[in-house]
């Protein structure tokens, strides 16, 4: 609802109303329960130290588990400056209720560094380099990227969503998990 969106950009220092919780629940296609939404909202408020209504890159990097991740900069670029509604929508891909397709869309967007809807060789190189650091030579990295693109069946040195999905076998399942902490943990 528009009232929720407006309020969310103006700083947050209060509890959500029942109507707002229900709007958020609908907005994330019921991937999170009302209790999960309240817990995530409290966590969001705790992260939003300046009460701006969004989480800054510095606030994200203050999370120890986040800052220790070799892909922290890429995660920051996805989650930075989002309001709670967008935060919830991004996290919904990590819900056990998310479909395989929703998880794959998140993964595609994560790897699509330039945001053009495709994973290019350059996108793959960027994310892989963040992940492996200097432990791989340019030559080794080049061989890995060539092999990934060849095995994907891509003829254009880039993966669209359909080609990306083919990289995962039909019966294969995987999880993207986010832990919602209890009130005691916050």
């Amino acid at each position: 609802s528009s009232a929720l969106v407006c309020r969310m950009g103006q700083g947050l220092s209060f509890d959500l109303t029942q109507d707002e919780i229900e709007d958020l629940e609908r907005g994330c296609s019921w991937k999170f329960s009302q209790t999960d939404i309240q817990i995530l909202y409290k966590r969001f408020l705790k992260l939003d130290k300046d009460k701006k209504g969004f989480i800054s890159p510095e606030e994200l990097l203050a999370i120890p588990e986040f800052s220790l991740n070799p892909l922290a900069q890429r995660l920051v670029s996805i989650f930075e400056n989002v309001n709670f509604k967008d935060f919830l929508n991004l996290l919904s891909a990590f819900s056990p209720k998310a479909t395989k397709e929703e998880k794959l869309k998140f993964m595609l967007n994560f790897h699509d560094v330039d945001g053009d809807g495709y994973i290019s060789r350059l996108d793959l190189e960027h994310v892989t380099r963040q992940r492996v650091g200097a432990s791989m030579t340019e030559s080794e990295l080049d061989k890995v990227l060539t092999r990934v693109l060849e095995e994907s069946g891509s003829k254009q040195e880039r993966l669209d969503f359909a080609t990306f999905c083919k990289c995962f076998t039909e019966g294969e399942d995987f999880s993207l998990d986010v832990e919602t902490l209890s009130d005691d943990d916050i």
Side-chain angles (χ1 to χ4, degrees):
S1 71
S2 58
L4 178 64
V5 174
C6 290
R7 284 182 33 197
M8 293 193 136
Q10 298 172 355
L12 306 168
S13 59
F14 37 76
D15 287 331
L16 295 169
T17 67
Q18 184 63 34
D19 284 346
E20 288 172 329
I21 292 170
E22 289 171 9
D23 283 348
L24 289 164
E25 196 176 25
R26 266 190 302 282
C28 70
S29 303
W30 293 272
K31 299 288 185 292
F32 295 112
S33 69
Q34 291 187 11
T35 302
D36 290 338
I37 289 170
Q38 290 171 313
I39 291 168
L40 288 167
Y41 185 69
K42 286 180 183 174
R43 185 73 187 249
F44 183 89
L45 290 176
K46 201 168 188 179
L47 293 171
D48 179 17
K49 298 201 184 312
D50 299 336
K51 305 297 177 234
K52 307 170 295 306
F54 61 89
I55 303 172
S56 70
E58 298 76 27
E59 290 165 336
L60 287 169
L61 290 170
I63 304 167
E65 300 85 353
F66 209 90
S67 63
L68 295 173
N69 189 314
L71 298 169
Q73 289 303 321
R74 182 67 192 128
L75 288 167
V76 164
S77 70
I78 291 172
F79 281 92
E80 74 179 312
N81 302 327
V82 297
N83 64 27
F84 181 67
K85 185 177 182 180
D86 294 337
F87 180 77
L88 201 59
N89 283 328
L90 284 167
L91 286 180
S92 69
F94 295 86
S95 166
K97 296 175 186 171
T99 65
K100 184 175 180 177
E101 181 177 341
E102 289 165 327
K103 293 173 185 181
L104 287 169
K105 280 183 181 169
F106 179 88
M107 290 172 53
L108 178 100
N109 291 334
F110 178 84
H111 288 87
D112 178 17
V113 177
D114 60 13
D116 66 357
Y118 298 93
I119 301 175
S120 67
R121 183 182 192 90
L122 203 57
D123 292 332
L124 279 173
E125 183 178 341
H126 180 84
V127 173
T128 305
R129 182 57 68 202
Q130 281 186 335
R131 186 172 185 118
V132 300
S135 67
M136 195 179 267
T137 67
E138 287 301 318
S139 171
E140 291 169 328
L141 180 60
D142 187 59
K143 285 178 186 169
V144 167
L145 297 178
T146 299
R147 184 169 176 202
V148 166
L149 289 166
E150 283 174 359
E151 288 189 11
S152 73
S154 173
K155 306 285 185 251
Q156 306 160 326
E157 289 272 310
R158 67 181 194 177
L159 307 175
D160 60 14
F161 185 64
T163 309
F164 180 72
C165 290
K166 288 179 189 169
C167 295
F168 298 88
T169 60
E170 195 58 42
E172 183 180 6
D173 198 20
F174 55 88
S175 66
L176 298 174
D177 297 319
V178 65
E179 189 176 323
T180 53
L181 304 171
S182 71
D183 281 338
D184 300 336
D185 297 328
I186 296 177

